[in-house]
Amino acid sequence: MSEHQDEKVIGEYPYVPKQQRAQAKRQALLESGRLLFIEQGYEQTNAKEIAAHAGVATGTFYRYFVDKRQLMMSLMNEQLDRLLPPIHDWTTNNPESYLAIRLEEHYKQLDQLNLNLLLPELLVKDSQLAELFEEIRSKMLRRIISNLRSAKKQGLVWDDLNVETVAWSILLLSEQIPEAMIQGRKKEDFQHLAKVICRLVFPPEKLEQLKTNK
Amino acid sequence: MSEHQDEKVIGEYPYVPKQQRAQAKRQALLESGRLLFIEQGYEQTNAKEIAAHAGVATGTFYRYFVDKRQLMMSLMNEQLDRLLPPIHDWTTNNPESYLAIRLEEHYKQLDQLNLNLLLPELLVKDSQLAELFEEIRSKMLRRIISNLRSAKKQGLVWDDLNVETVAWSILLLSEQIPEAMIQGRKKEDFQHLAKVICRLVFPPEKLEQLKTNK
Amino acid sequence: MSEHQDEKVIGEYPYVPKQQRAQAKRQALLESGRLLFIEQGYEQTNAKEIAAHAGVATGTFYRYFVDKRQLMMSLMNEQLDRLLPPIHDWTTNNPESYLAIRLEEHYKQLDQLNLNLLLPELLVKDSQLAELFEEIRSKMLRRIISNLRSAKKQGLVWDDLNVETVAWSILLLSEQIPEAMIQGRKKEDFQHLAKVICRLVFPPEKLEQLKTNK
Amino acid sequence: MSEHQDEKVIGEYPYVPKQQRAQAKRQALLESGRLLFIEQGYEQTNAKEIAAHAGVATGTFYRYFVDKRQLMMSLMNEQLDRLLPPIHDWTTNNPESYLAIRLEEHYKQLDQLNLNLLLPELLVKDSQLAELFEEIRSKMLRRIISNLRSAKKQGLVWDDLNVETVAWSILLLSEQIPEAMIQGRKKEDFQHLAKVICRLVFPPEKLEQLKTNK
DNA sequence: CATGAATGAGCCTTCATTCAT
DNA sequence: AATGAATGAAGGCTCATTCAT
C-alpha cells in the first residue's frame, strides 16, 4: 500500500526520505515499532524505546514520524487488508482445497507480522483505525455474502442456508486462525478448517459434485 | 463469584466495607469503572476519572481498590466465566432449540455488562488475567470436545467430523456473538446461529431424528 | 509542667478533658505518639497510626490535639527541661560522686521516655521548639558558667580554666549521655564520666581536698 | 570521594553525564539540594523545589538522580568522613597546638557545607546512612582509643585514665564543634577546646614535657 | 463524644515531544 | 540531519484533616 494510503489515514509525514540511508532508518524504526508493540503492547511502548531499539536517537524518531500513533498507523496501513482473509470466488471448482490453500497463505501472512495481535488493543483506542478496519471487514463480508447468494441461486448450497449468518461465521472462522493451529501449524489443520467452512455452505453431495467437476 | 475468587487473582482488598452505604459506594465505583473502561478503553481511563464519575473524591477510590487494575480485576472476576458460552450436554434432545436458547441467554449477559469489549485490550496487557481466561477457555473447549466425542460414539455426527477443529469453531462462533446480531437482536438470529453450529456437527437426518425424539 | 506551659508553646487545646475516661484517652494518645515517634521518626508517623495504636478512631485524635505537632509539643513540653542535665551547685562537697548520681538519674529519665532521640529531627523542623530548647539550654549553660566562676573565685579550679569552653564541654558531655553507656548501663560508667568532667575543672589536689572536706 | 563510593551506598546512577554542561547541571542540583535541605529540612524539601532552585524542570531532576534520597546520599557520600574530626597520632609533640589546628580545619569544612545540620534528621530516617555513619564513627573511636592506649603505655597520661570514657568524650567534643564557636569563630576558641581535650588526657607536667620536647 | 469514611491538596514519577547543539 | 538533554503536563498515590452519622 502506497504513501497515498497513509495520507488518507494519517496525514502528511514530517519527512519522507528519498535517500537510501534515510529510508533504511525509517524502515528500522517501523520494524522496531512492530516488534516492541507486539512484545509489550502499544501503550506500554514509548518512542524512546523504539528509537533506541532501532539504533537512533529519540529526536530522530520524530523526524520520520509525527508520533507513535503515526508509526503504528503506517504499520497497519500496509497490512490492514491482509489481516482479513482473502476469501472470494471460492464457491466454484474445489472449494475445500481452494479454501485450505487460501487460509494457509493467510495464516503465513499473519504469522509474519503478527500485527493481528495488536489489533484488539488498537481498535478500542483509535476510532479512526476502527472505522477503517470495519470498512474493510464490511467489504469482505459483502463479498462473501454475494458469493454465497450466487451459489444459492445455482442451487449449490443447503436449502435452508441463512446467508448473513453463514457469511459471518465464515469471516469469523477464517479471520481468527484458530490459535490451536498456531501451535501445530500442520497442513491438515487448514484442510480441517476448510472442510468445516464448506460444510456450513454445501450439502455433501453438492460438494462432491463441485470437487469432481474440477 | 465471591470475594474468595478475587483473592485468587489479586489478593486482599485494602478494605471491603461492611456497611451498606460503603458497599453502595464500592458498587458505584465498579460501575463507573466499567462504563468508562468500555467507553474510553482501560488505559485511557484513570482513577481520578472513575472517582469523579462515581461522585467521590480521588482518595476514596483508593479506599476501596488498590489501584485501577484491581477494580478491573474485580469486574472481570465476577464475570470471567460468563464471558464464555455455557455450552454443554447439548448433543441430546433438540440441539438446535437448546443452543438457540443458551446463546440468547449468553448474549443477554454479555450485553448487560459489555466487559467482553474490554477483554482484548486487557489480555494483551495483563498476563495474569490472560492465563486465567485461557484456563477457563480450555476447560470449556475440553467440555465441548468430550461432548462431541460421546456424540460421535453414538454415531450421531458427521462421519468425517474432526473433533478438535469443530470444537474450536463452536467455541469461536458462540463466544463472539456475531456483532451483526448486536444491532438486530432478533430471536431468529440465535436460531440461525444455532442451526449453523448444528450443521457443523450433525448430518440433517440425524438432527431430524434428535428433534423428533424429544 | 502545666497546661499553662503548653499554651506558651502551642496555644489552646481543642479540648482539655475533665473526665477520667477522656483523660485516659488523651494519655493513651500521648503515649502512642511517643512510642511511634521514637520507633519510626516524627515525619514517618501519621495521625491515623497514632489513633489506631491508642485504640481510638482517627477523628478522636483531633478532638484532643490540634494536630500531630501539638501532640509532639505536649510530649516535649512535659519533658523539655528534663532533656538537659540537672547540673548546679556541684562545685562544693564531693563533686565526683554528686555528679555521678545526677548523671545516672538523668540517664534514667532519658531512658524512660527516649524523647531525646526525637529532638534532632524536631529541632530542624520546628523553629519554635528549637528556640524554646535553646533558651533552656542557655539558661543551663549560664548556670554552669556562674557555678564555675564562683569556684574559680574560690581558687578551686585550674588556673588557666576558660570558663565558657569548659562549661560548654560539660553541658555537651552530660546531655548526650554517651551512647556507649546506653548499652552497658553500669554504675561505674557514670563515675568515669563524672571523673572526666571533674578533671576538666579541678586540679587533682583541689579535688582531693573537696572530697575529704565532705 | 569517587562514584565508586556512591555505589557502595546507593547503587548505580540513572545517568552520570559525561558532558561538561550536564555535569554542571548535576552540580547545580546537588548544591540546590544541599541549600534547601539545610534551610528547610530534608523532609520539607521536594524534588520540584530542588529542580526549580537549580533552574531546571522537574523531569531533569530525575535524569540525574533516582530520587531525593539519592541526591542526599550523593551529598553525604562525598562528605561523610569529613563530618567526623580527623584526630589521630596527636599524643606526641605538641598536642595542644596540633589539636587546635586540626579542629579549626575541621570546623572550616563543616562550615562550608553545613551537612552536619542535616545529619540528625537523616540518621533517624535512613538506617542505611545511620549504619554507614556509625561505622565511620566506630573506626574513629577505635583510632582514638588505640592512640590513648599507646600514650598510656608511655606513661604520658593521667594514672587513672579510663580510656573508653575519655575517647568518647574527645570524639563528642570534637565532632560537635561547640555551637558557641559558630558565632565567634575565633582562633582562640579552638585553642581553648584543644586545651580542654588535652587536660582530659595529660597531667600538666607531662603536657609541658611534650610541648618542650618539640 | 466517638467514629471512620471521605476529602483533595500535594508529592512523586513518567514520558511524549521539543530544541539547542 | 542527527543527537539526546530538557521540558512540563499528567497520572498515580498518600495522608492530614473534616464531617456526617
Side-chain angles (χ1 to χ4, degrees):
Chain A
M1 207 158 280
S2 65
E3 295 303 335
H4 182 256
Q5 261 281 342
D6 275 323
E7 287 170 29
K8 188 175 68 180
V9 184
I10 39 169
E12 298 286 339
Y13 279 101
Y15 171 73
V16 181
K18 267 89 201 170
Q19 289 158 11
Q20 205 183 2
R21 279 273 193 95
Q23 269 295 354
K25 218 162 268 191
R26 187 170 181 276
Q27 283 307 316
L29 283 165
L30 280 167
E31 180 61 11
S32 295
R34 192 179 66 77
L35 288 174
L36 293 173
F37 286 163
I38 288 163
E39 196 179 318
Q40 322 177 347
Y42 174 76
E43 202 66 43
Q44 282 69 44
T45 304
N46 62 37
K48 203 176 177 180
E49 276 179 289
I50 298 173
H53 188 277
V56 299
T58 318
T60 308
F61 179 97
Y62 289 91
R63 179 149 208 88
Y64 292 101
F65 300 96
V66 165
D67 55 18
K68 192 172 66 161
R69 182 176 173 275
Q70 198 205 31
L71 187 147
M72 178 273 288
M73 279 299 201
S74 295
L75 284 172
M76 283 296 166
N77 266 318
E78 290 175 28
Q79 305 298 333
L80 210 50
D81 42 12
R82 294 193 200 165
L83 292 179
L84 289 170
I87 299 192
H88 34 106
D89 307 326
W90 55 286
T91 52
T92 50
N93 307 326
N94 187 338
E96 255 183 48
S97 61
Y98 175 86
L99 260 186
I101 292 165
R102 287 314 201 98
L103 290 173
E104 192 174 359
E105 282 172 11
H106 180 217
Y107 163 69
K108 278 182 185 154
Q109 277 197 342
L110 288 187
D111 195 40
Q112 234 174 72
L113 295 172
N114 275 324
L115 286 178
N116 51 323
L117 302 177
L118 270 182
L119 212 51
E121 185 183 357
L122 295 175
L123 294 181
V124 182
K125 216 176 302 282
D126 198 306
S127 60
Q128 198 189 359
L129 183 64
E131 270 173 47
L132 189 60
F133 184 70
E134 206 41 56
E135 214 176 279
I136 294 174
R137 217 181 184 198
S138 280
K139 210 164 66 187
M140 193 74 61
L141 189 63
R142 272 174 281 140
R143 208 189 283 162
I144 298 175
I145 286 175
S146 93
N147 216 219
L148 287 178
R149 286 212 175 113
S150 77
K152 195 172 188 180
K153 271 186 195 159
Q154 297 167 50
L156 294 170
V157 303
W158 294 99
D159 285 340
D160 58 351
L161 184 95
N162 179 280
V163 172
E164 280 77 19
T165 307
V166 170
W168 238 107
S169 303
I170 293 171
L171 187 62
L172 212 61
L173 290 173
S174 54
E175 86 183 7
Q176 306 221 5
I177 296 288
E179 287 93 347
M181 295 193 182
I182 288 176
Q183 312 298 343
R185 298 182 186 193
K186 285 178 270 176
K187 266 211 162 150
E188 302 96 70
D189 292 333
F190 297 104
Q191 283 164 354
H192 291 317
L193 186 58
K195 191 179 268 181
V196 160
I197 291 175
C198 283
R199 179 146 295 151
L200 289 181
V201 179
F202 308 106
E205 67 278 7
K206 300 287 162 90
L207 187 60
E208 203 52 41
Q209 189 182 316
L210 282 165
K211 279 185 183 174
T212 48
N213 270 2
K214 171 89 195 234
Chain B
M1 206 160 282
S2 65
E3 296 306 331
H4 183 257
Q5 262 283 341
D6 275 319
E7 286 170 30
K8 190 173 68 180
V9 184
I10 35 165
E12 297 287 337
Y13 281 99
Y15 172 74
V16 180
K18 269 88 201 168
Q19 289 156 14
Q20 203 185 1
R21 189 77 75 81
Q23 269 295 356
K25 213 157 272 188
R26 187 170 183 274
Q27 284 308 316
L29 282 166
L30 279 168
E31 180 61 12
S32 295
R34 192 179 66 76
L35 288 173
L36 293 173
F37 286 162
I38 288 163
E39 196 180 316
Q40 321 177 346
Y42 175 76
E43 202 65 46
Q44 282 68 45
T45 304
N46 64 32
K48 206 173 181 177
E49 273 179 291
I50 298 173
H53 188 276
V56 299
T58 316
T60 305
F61 179 97
Y62 291 95
R63 180 161 198 81
Y64 292 101
F65 301 97
V66 165
D67 54 17
K68 192 173 66 162
R69 181 175 176 273
Q70 199 205 30
L71 187 148
M72 177 273 287
M73 279 297 200
S74 295
L75 286 171
M76 284 295 165
N77 266 318
E78 290 175 27
Q79 305 299 333
L80 209 50
D81 42 11
R82 295 194 199 166
L83 293 179
L84 289 171
I87 299 193
H88 35 106
D89 308 326
W90 55 286
T91 52
T92 51
N93 305 329
N94 188 337
E96 254 183 49
S97 62
Y98 176 87
L99 260 186
I101 291 165
R102 288 311 201 99
L103 291 173
E104 190 173 1
E105 282 171 11
H106 180 220
Y107 162 69
K108 277 182 185 155
Q109 278 197 341
L110 288 188
D111 194 40
Q112 236 174 69
L113 293 173
N114 275 324
L115 286 179
N116 51 323
L117 302 179
L118 267 182
L119 212 51
E121 183 185 358
L122 294 176
L123 294 181
V124 180
K125 218 177 300 285
D126 198 306
S127 59
Q128 198 190 0
L129 183 63
E131 269 173 47
L132 189 60
F133 184 70
E134 205 42 56
E135 214 176 279
I136 294 174
R137 218 182 183 197
S138 281
K139 211 164 65 186
M140 194 74 61
L141 189 62
R142 273 174 281 140
R143 206 190 286 162
I144 298 175
I145 287 174
S146 93
N147 216 219
L148 288 178
R149 286 212 175 112
S150 78
K152 196 172 187 177
K153 272 186 193 158
Q154 298 168 50
L156 294 170
V157 303
W158 294 100
D159 287 340
D160 59 349
L161 183 95
N162 179 279
V163 172
E164 280 76 19
T165 309
V166 170
W168 239 108
S169 303
I170 293 171
L171 188 62
L172 212 62
L173 289 174
S174 54
E175 87 182 7
Q176 308 222 3
I177 297 288
E179 288 93 346
M181 295 191 181
I182 288 175
Q183 311 300 342
R185 301 186 186 189
K186 283 178 270 177
K187 264 211 163 150
E188 302 97 68
D189 292 332
F190 297 103
Q191 283 164 354
H192 290 318
L193 186 57
K195 192 178 267 181
V196 159
I197 290 175
C198 284
R199 179 148 294 151
L200 288 181
V201 180
F202 309 105
E205 66 280 8
K206 299 288 162 94
L207 187 60
E208 202 54 39
Q209 189 183 317
L210 283 165
K211 280 185 185 174
T212 48
N213 270 2
K214 173 84 195 244
Chain C
M1 206 160 280
S2 65
E3 296 304 332
H4 182 257
Q5 261 280 343
D6 275 322
E7 287 169 29
K8 189 176 69 180
V9 184
I10 37 167
E12 296 289 336
Y13 279 101
Y15 172 73
V16 181
K18 267 88 200 171
Q19 289 159 10
Q20 205 182 3
R21 278 274 192 93
Q23 270 294 355
K25 218 162 265 190
R26 187 170 181 276
Q27 283 308 315
L29 283 166
L30 279 167
E31 180 61 10
S32 295
R34 192 179 66 77
L35 287 173
L36 293 173
F37 287 161
I38 287 164
E39 196 179 317
Q40 322 176 348
Y42 174 76
E43 202 66 44
Q44 282 69 44
T45 304
N46 62 37
K48 203 176 177 179
E49 276 179 289
I50 298 173
H53 188 277
V56 299
T58 318
T60 307
F61 179 96
Y62 289 91
R63 179 147 209 88
Y64 293 102
F65 301 96
V66 165
D67 55 18
K68 194 171 66 159
R69 182 177 173 273
Q70 197 205 31
L71 187 148
M72 176 274 286
M73 278 300 202
S74 295
L75 284 172
M76 283 297 166
N77 265 318
E78 291 174 26
Q79 304 300 334
L80 210 49
D81 42 10
R82 294 196 201 164
L83 293 178
L84 289 171
I87 301 191
H88 35 106
D89 305 327
W90 55 285
T91 51
T92 50
N93 305 328
N94 188 337
E96 254 182 49
S97 61
Y98 176 88
L99 259 186
I101 291 165
R102 288 314 201 97
L103 289 174
E104 191 173 0
E105 282 171 9
H106 180 219
Y107 162 71
K108 277 180 186 155
Q109 278 198 339
L110 287 187
D111 195 40
Q112 235 174 69
L113 296 173
N114 274 325
L115 287 179
N116 51 322
L117 302 177
L118 270 182
L119 212 52
E121 184 183 357
L122 295 175
L123 294 181
V124 180
K125 218 176 302 283
D126 198 307
S127 59
Q128 199 189 356
L129 183 65
E131 269 174 47
L132 188 61
F133 183 71
E134 205 41 57
E135 214 175 279
I136 295 174
R137 217 181 183 201
S138 280
K139 211 163 67 187
M140 192 76 59
L141 189 62
R142 271 174 283 139
R143 207 189 285 162
I144 298 175
I145 287 174
S146 93
N147 216 220
L148 288 178
R149 286 213 175 111
S150 79
K152 195 172 187 178
K153 272 186 193 159
Q154 296 168 51
L156 294 170
V157 302
W158 293 100
D159 286 341
D160 58 350
L161 184 94
N162 179 280
V163 172
E164 282 77 18
T165 307
V166 169
W168 238 109
S169 303
I170 293 171
L171 187 61
L172 211 61
L173 289 174
S174 53
E175 86 184 4
Q176 308 221 5
I177 296 289
E179 287 93 347
M181 295 192 183
I182 287 175
Q183 312 297 343
R185 299 181 186 192
K186 284 179 270 175
K187 268 215 160 148
E188 301 97 70
D189 292 333
F190 297 103
Q191 282 163 354
H192 290 318
L193 186 59
K195 192 179 265 182
V196 160
I197 291 175
C198 284
R199 180 148 294 150
L200 288 181
V201 180
F202 309 104
E205 65 280 7
K206 301 288 162 96
L207 187 61
E208 202 53 40
Q209 187 182 321
L210 283 165
K211 281 184 184 173
T212 48
N213 272 1
K214 173 93 192 231
Chain D
M1 207 160 281
S2 66
E3 296 306 330
H4 183 258
Q5 263 280 342
D6 275 319
E7 287 169 30
K8 190 173 66 179
V9 184
I10 36 165
E12 298 287 336
Y13 281 100
Y15 172 74
V16 181
K18 269 88 201 168
Q19 289 158 13
Q20 201 185 2
R21 190 78 74 81
Q23 270 295 357
K25 213 156 274 189
R26 187 170 182 275
Q27 283 309 316
L29 282 165
L30 279 167
E31 180 60 13
S32 295
R34 191 179 66 78
L35 288 174
L36 292 173
F37 287 161
I38 289 164
E39 196 178 318
Q40 321 177 347
Y42 175 76
E43 203 66 44
Q44 283 67 43
T45 304
N46 65 32
K48 204 174 182 178
E49 276 180 290
I50 297 173
H53 189 275
V56 299
T58 316
T60 305
F61 179 97
Y62 291 94
R63 180 162 199 80
Y64 293 101
F65 302 96
V66 165
D67 55 18
K68 193 174 66 161
R69 182 176 176 273
Q70 198 205 29
L71 187 147
M72 177 273 287
M73 279 297 200
S74 295
L75 285 172
M76 283 296 164
N77 265 319
E78 290 175 28
Q79 303 300 332
L80 210 51
D81 43 11
R82 295 196 198 163
L83 293 178
L84 289 170
I87 301 194
H88 36 105
D89 306 326
W90 55 284
T91 51
T92 50
N93 306 328
N94 188 338
E96 256 183 45
S97 62
Y98 175 87
L99 262 186
I101 291 166
R102 287 312 202 99
L103 291 174
E104 190 172 2
E105 281 171 9
H106 181 218
Y107 163 70
K108 277 180 186 156
Q109 278 196 340
L110 288 187
D111 194 40
Q112 236 173 68
L113 294 172
N114 274 324
L115 286 179
N116 51 323
L117 301 179
L118 269 181
L119 213 50
E121 184 184 358
L122 294 176
L123 293 181
V124 179
K125 219 176 300 284
D126 198 308
S127 60
Q128 198 189 359
L129 184 64
E131 270 174 48
L132 189 61
F133 184 69
E134 205 42 55
E135 215 176 277
I136 294 174
R137 217 181 183 198
S138 279
K139 210 165 66 186
M140 194 75 60
L141 189 62
R142 271 174 282 139
R143 207 189 283 163
I144 298 175
I145 288 175
S146 92
N147 217 219
L148 288 179
R149 287 212 175 112
S150 78
K152 195 172 187 178
K153 271 186 195 159
Q154 296 168 50
L156 294 170
V157 303
W158 293 99
D159 287 338
D160 57 351
L161 184 94
N162 179 279
V163 171
E164 281 76 19
T165 308
V166 169
W168 238 108
S169 304
I170 293 172
L171 187 62
L172 213 61
L173 289 174
S174 54
E175 87 184 4
Q176 307 219 6
I177 296 289
E179 289 93 346
M181 295 192 182
I182 287 176
Q183 312 300 343
R185 299 185 186 188
K186 284 179 268 175
K187 263 211 165 152
E188 301 96 69
D189 292 333
F190 297 103
Q191 282 164 353
H192 290 317
L193 186 58
K195 190 178 269 180
V196 160
I197 290 175
C198 284
R199 177 147 297 151
L200 288 181
V201 181
F202 308 105
E205 65 279 9
K206 300 286 161 97
L207 187 61
E208 202 52 41
Q209 187 183 320
L210 282 165
K211 281 184 184 174
T212 48
N213 271 1
K214 173 89 193 234

